[in-house]
Amino acid sequence: MKTYDLVLLGADGFIGSHFYSRYKKKISIFKVGKKIGDLKKKNVWKKIPKAKIVLNLASRVFVPNSWDEIDLFIDNNIKITLNSLAYCKKNNAKNIYVSSYIYGNAKLPTKESEPVKINNPYSLSKKMGEDLCEFYSNFHSVKSLILRPFNIFGPNQDKKFLIPSIIEQINKKKIIINDIRPKRDLLYVEDFCYLIFKTLNFKNKFSIYNVGSGKSYSIKSIIDCLANLSDNNIKIVNKKNFRKNEILTTQANIFKISKSFDWKPTTDLKEGLKKILNEKFSN
């Protein structure tokens, strides 16, 4: 039976679909999407062939929903991670776990050494997943690389996320925002996929890396950039509906990841937004 270079969990998702389309001809990838079945069930994993690496992008991801579905987020994200680690142990495969920003309102730019501050159920599930990876690394010799992306954006992202939700409103010339205050470190999805590709040959037993652009963008600057690109005069309506435990500003220190894998982002905010608009309105 063929041994694949990579098992891609969450292949139907935003990041997974971008990664597969870009690298399917460079490495052999076994796609694991919704059609294969419920990854929380151990018997489903019998359908997955042997591979050298597991890239775990399979999880529930939308923070506001995590408050209403704490049990579902924890159950889903933890069970899938446990099963993926058991697969790695059985097949002597390496594990790349895509975590999240888990620092709360932290010192900027944020280093990996910054204390973890869990402030929502989604980030709790991700930290629990990281702990499981470390446990399997220590006691079952499963090599794990933890990536903590701050915010990823790009074409075909779900409309409930910030940038797609703004773009959906552009032609109305009025953007309704729940909270204008937050500033976010935004990394274009293709830059993130390229980073993942560069990490495939990682050697360390267990390591954690922050991932971002290293720059922080205000919501107003995002809207202004989109207005300029779409040649629209846009009115901003701030509803002041503040999210529970909102993080006001994120900015990643990317020195460690850049040095370790000779990587740096190449797509700035304006270029990334332009690519999204071109793809969206050319279809």
Side-chain angles (χ1 to χ4, degrees):
M1 183 179 291
K2 177 180 179 179
T3 296
Y4 285 79
D5 291 320
L6 182 77
V7 164
L8 175 58
L9 308 182
D12 298 332
F14 167 53
I15 297 169
S17 58
H18 277 276
F19 185 88
Y20 181 77
S21 65
R22 181 165 179 175
Y23 294 106
K24 62 184 177 181
K25 293 181 179 179
K26 294 186 177 182
I27 56 173
S28 57
I29 302 174
F30 186 83
K31 291 174 65 179
V32 179
K34 295 177 182 178
K35 289 183 179 180
I36 202 167
D38 187 352
L39 289 174
K40 298 193 301 295
K41 297 178 179 178
K42 292 182 179 180
N43 64 322
V44 171
W45 288 80
K46 295 177 182 177
K47 304 176 186 177
I48 301 176
K50 188 173 182 179
K52 299 173 186 175
I53 306 169
V54 172
L55 171 57
N56 187 355
L57 288 163
S59 67
R60 289 175 177 260
V61 296
F62 192 51
V63 171
N65 288 357
S66 72
W67 287 106
D68 299 322
E69 301 174 340
I70 295 176
D71 55 338
L72 296 179
F73 269 71
I74 299 295
D75 181 64
N76 182 84
N77 295 355
I78 294 308
K79 283 185 178 177
I80 291 176
T81 301
L82 270 172
N83 286 338
S84 69
L85 289 165
Y87 169 95
C88 289
K89 177 187 174 185
K90 178 182 177 181
N91 293 288
N92 194 29
K94 296 193 298 184
N95 169 56
I96 297 176
Y97 179 76
V98 178
S99 183
S100 179
Y101 177 91
I102 56 173
Y103 300 103
N105 284 299
K107 183 179 178 181
L108 304 173
T110 307
K111 298 180 179 181
E112 291 82 358
S113 58
E114 187 73 12
V116 169
K117 299 173 188 174
I118 301 301
N119 67 340
N120 62 69
Y122 168 65
S123 61
L124 173 61
S125 74
K126 285 299 187 180
K127 181 59 171 68
M128 292 170 73
E130 289 188 11
D131 291 344
L132 288 170
C133 292
E134 186 169 17
F135 180 87
Y136 267 75
S137 174
N138 289 335
F139 296 101
H140 296 302
S141 300
V142 174
K143 290 184 178 180
S144 281
L145 179 78
I146 309 295
L147 298 176
R148 290 176 177 169
F150 281 40
N151 286 90
I152 309 298
F153 77 105
N156 304 314
Q157 190 172 24
D158 193 296
K159 294 176 184 178
K160 61 191 175 186
F161 288 91
L162 176 65
I163 289 176
S165 71
I166 293 172
I167 290 173
E168 284 297 305
Q169 302 177 73
I170 278 182
N171 289 334
K172 300 174 185 177
K173 297 190 177 182
K174 182 169 75 171
I175 307 293
I176 300 172
I177 295 292
N178 283 324
D179 185 359
I180 201 73
R181 300 174 303 159
K183 296 175 67 178
R184 292 289 181 262
D185 185 314
L186 298 165
L187 179 67
Y188 190 64
V189 65
E190 296 297 337
D191 282 332
F192 185 44
C193 289
Y194 180 52
L195 170 64
I196 294 172
F197 181 73
K198 294 203 78 171
T199 67
L200 295 183
N201 292 321
F202 78 90
K203 305 296 183 185
N204 291 353
K205 180 180 176 183
F206 181 82
S207 50
I208 295 173
Y209 295 94
N210 288 344
V211 182
S213 66
K215 299 177 182 178
S216 191
Y217 300 95
S218 69
I219 292 177
K220 187 177 186 304
S221 70
I222 296 168
I223 294 173
D224 288 345
C225 188
L226 285 167
N228 180 263
L229 289 169
S230 60
D231 197 25
N232 278 319
N233 292 316
I234 294 174
K235 179 182 178 182
I236 301 173
V237 178
N238 182 17
K239 294 175 69 177
K240 297 184 180 180
N241 289 339
F242 303 147
R243 284 201 322 200
K244 192 172 184 178
N245 293 346
E246 182 62 276
I247 297 162
L248 293 180
T249 306
T250 64
Q251 182 184 358
N253 183 315
I254 58 173
F255 176 80
K256 182 180 176 183
I257 191 78
S258 298
K259 183 178 180 181
S260 296
F261 296 101
D262 189 27
W263 169 87
K264 63 179 181 179
T266 59
T267 306
D268 63 16
L269 178 67
K270 183 177 180 180
E271 186 181 352
L273 292 176
K274 188 175 181 180
K275 289 180 178 181
I276 297 171
L277 291 175
N278 287 344
E279 184 156 332
K280 180 176 177 59
F281 296 113
S282 65
N283 293 335

